Amino acid sequence: MKNKSDQIVIFDTTLRDGEQSPGASMTIEEKVQMAHQLKRLGVNVIEAGFPVISDGDFKAVSEIARQVKGPTICALARAVDNDIEAAAKALSEAENKRIHVFIATSDIHMEHKLKMTREQVVLRAVSAVKKARSYVTDVEFSAEDAARTDLDFLVHIIEAVVDAGATTVNIPDTVGYATPSEFGQLIKALKTRVRNIEQAVISVHCHNDLGLATANSLAAVANGARQVECTVNGIGERSGNCALEEIVMALKTRHDKFAIETDINTRELVNSSKMVEEVTGIHVQPNKAIVGRNSFAHEAGIHQHGVIANRATYEIMRAEDVGFESNEIVLGKHSGRHAIRLWLDKNKITLNEDEITELSNKVKALSDTQKQISDSDVFAILNQSQGDNVVSVDATQYLGSKRW
């Protein structure tokens, strides 16, 4: 890790918060497999689970702690002794270990869920952090629903838990309520007002209920947060979390604005995304940023012309840098002659200009009747056209070729 001022800790909670997505439950073996992939990806902290909630989660955290060396392995615990003891036991074989304790701090949560006063919550938080510190030196404290917490109270409880030994303080937007300007100002205020904040790393954990999780996380980073909690493919409770691939590539692509690094091997982003799809059964939409199959695909003729001439015209990232083999020029009703020429070149087929025009027109006509045009479709058009003496190439030799 570099100096904390120019380096972001990527805290992955795919195995904990991500698994809380309805239908995303993973087996112990799947969690271990995923943890090894997260290590290859280069995440700094793997939140492996919530050991007290089930025997399966306890065993998964224990096995990940035993097998996965290098990243910090983190276990979640409520601010109660039994949770913290279970977390410590599950982490016993970890090379680098962290206990993550949390308690709600917003008035609505304290009144209706916890049935506790502010003073009681502070005492419970301090006690939990001290108990966690009796087991490990790396303790994270989360003020659940921090984005809706009274600022004066939030400052007070953060100061108290840092004095008690918390090394990371997490500011969650638990219900995805904040806007980027609000959330950035919250982090800035904490940096200014918390007297002992330099003794801890400020972390953020943003949910995506309004589609703002990545934007809020970026705003927090711009204002001093140095850990971002996220999940692969953005899975998680309700609408999910800040997507790991989005925050990482935003920081990398806009290095001119943030000048901040991560340890992530971005070429493992697509592999990680596919593994999460496989183990959870939750598939990303085609237009998902970074890892969706349309992220580097072009069908519109104007875009295709630009990309063929210079990829930077319509691509701000390289497909290869996130783990795809290449970008994709898609043939369809919006495609132009430049895409047809590129397709012909790739398949080592030579046509004259009239034949190219004829092929382009037939591809467009076919695309009016079906959603996708495959290689086989184009070869069939060529073969039919040869039979009609429209083209001079023997396309039959290409039929059955693999999809371009």
Side-chain angles (χ1 to χ4, degrees):
M1 292 285 289
K2 297 183 179 181
N3 183 284
K4 69 177 183 179
S5 65
D6 60 9
Q7 185 84 11
I8 291 293
V9 174
I10 296 297
F11 177 112
D12 181 274
T13 184
T14 304
L15 302 179
R16 201 276 301 170
D17 199 327
E19 195 195 23
Q20 291 174 202
S21 297
S25 182
M26 307 177 208
T27 66
I28 295 171
E29 293 75 17
E30 287 170 338
K31 285 187 123 183
V32 173
Q33 175 191 20
M34 193 69 227
H36 282 293
Q37 176 59 29
L38 292 172
K39 176 182 177 179
R40 287 190 288 271
L41 181 60
V43 304
N44 306 107
V45 183
I46 299 172
E47 189 165 48
F50 197 165
V52 81
I53 63 168
S54 72
D55 289 342
D57 233 42
F58 182 92
K59 291 175 182 177
V61 175
S62 299
E63 195 60 25
I64 290 168
R66 185 181 70 81
Q67 290 193 32
V68 183
K69 307 302 180 183
T72 295
I73 307 302
C74 177
L76 186 68
R78 291 166 298 189
V80 295
D81 288 352
N82 285 347
D83 285 33
I84 295 166
E85 290 163 4
K89 187 175 181 180
L91 291 171
S92 61
E93 293 190 66
E95 181 179 68
N96 303 298
K97 60 188 75 172
R98 174 184 296 187
I99 295 177
H100 179 189
V101 299
F102 73 96
I103 193 167
T105 56
S106 66
D107 288 336
I108 189 171
H109 276 249
M110 289 187 291
E111 178 183 354
H112 296 284
K113 184 180 74 173
L114 299 180
K115 311 292 186 186
M116 295 171 67
T117 66
R118 289 184 176 186
E119 292 74 17
Q120 288 171 326
V121 167
V122 173
L123 290 173
R124 178 73 65 82
V126 167
S127 175
V129 169
K130 286 181 177 179
K131 185 171 183 65
R133 276 301 298 257
S134 72
Y135 293 108
V136 298
T137 58
D138 187 355
V139 174
E140 177 171 338
F141 172 77
S142 280
E144 186 185 8
D145 206 21
R148 296 193 298 173
T149 295
D150 175 76
L151 180 57
D152 290 338
F153 178 58
L154 188 60
V155 169
H156 174 57
I157 195 169
I158 291 173
E159 288 180 345
V161 296
V162 173
D163 281 343
T167 50
T168 298
V169 288
N170 185 43
I171 313 301
D173 183 18
T174 303
V175 293
Y177 182 73
T179 64
S181 59
E182 289 175 330
F183 202 62
Q185 286 302 307
L186 173 59
I187 301 305
K188 184 177 181 179
L190 296 176
K191 287 278 289 184
T192 302
R193 293 185 53 183
V194 176
R195 60 172 170 77
N196 52 4
I197 197 62
E198 293 305 317
Q199 298 174 33
V201 173
I202 296 179
S203 171
V204 292
H205 179 117
C206 296
H207 278 262
N208 205 41
D209 297 70
L210 294 176
L212 297 172
T214 300
N216 284 336
S217 299
L218 283 170
V221 169
N223 284 279
R226 286 299 176 265
Q227 175 175 287
V228 173
E229 305 194 0
C230 45
T231 61
V232 176
N233 294 345
I235 65 171
E237 289 276 7
R238 303 179 312 281
S239 299
N241 292 267
C242 173
L244 183 151
E245 60 276 4
E246 293 176 11
I247 187 71
V248 166
M249 291 308 295
L251 291 171
K252 180 174 182 177
T253 304
R254 294 309 310 272
H255 194 268
D256 60 316
K257 179 175 178 62
F258 294 96
I260 289 172
E261 308 287 343
T262 75
D263 287 330
I264 297 298
N265 175 7
T266 63
R267 290 177 178 266
E268 286 293 332
L269 288 172
V270 169
N271 285 339
S272 301
S273 172
K274 289 179 178 178
M275 185 176 290
V276 167
E277 288 185 307
E278 180 181 341
V279 300
T280 65
I282 298 174
H283 297 280
V284 300
Q285 70 270 27
N287 63 325
K288 169 72 176 68
I290 316 300
V291 295
R293 61 181 171 84
N294 287 353
S295 294
F296 299 91
H298 309 274
E299 183 183 334
I302 294 172
H303 288 229
Q304 291 175 337
H305 183 192
V307 168
I308 290 169
N310 185 321
R311 288 173 65 172
T313 54
Y314 288 101
E315 292 182 3
I316 60 171
M317 300 166 281
R318 282 168 37 90
E320 296 85 346
D321 290 342
V322 303
F324 286 112
E325 290 185 7
S326 68
N327 63 357
E328 183 181 8
I329 302 298
V330 179
L331 295 183
K333 67 186 296 183
H334 304 103
S335 302
R337 292 163 59 86
H338 294 283
I340 294 294
R341 287 195 184 94
L342 181 62
W343 187 93
L344 292 168
D345 288 344
K346 284 180 177 288
N347 288 281
K348 298 181 173 58
I349 298 173
T350 301
L351 300 181
N352 62 40
E353 289 303 308
D354 289 341
E355 291 169 342
I356 290 173
T357 299
E358 181 69 18
L359 177 59
S360 178
N361 290 338
K362 290 193 173 186
V363 166
K364 288 176 183 287
L366 182 60
S367 67
D368 282 332
T369 65
Q370 62 186 53
K371 293 184 180 297
Q372 292 183 320
I373 303 296
S374 69
D375 277 5
S376 295
D377 291 326
V378 184
F379 291 138
I381 292 171
L382 287 170
N383 191 49
Q384 179 184 18
S385 297
Q386 186 204 23
D388 296 337
N389 296 319
V390 176
V391 300
S392 56
V393 64
D394 180 7
T396 56
Q397 62 182 301
Y398 301 105
L399 289 174
S401 297
K402 69 177 183 178
R403 187 179 179 84
W404 172 46

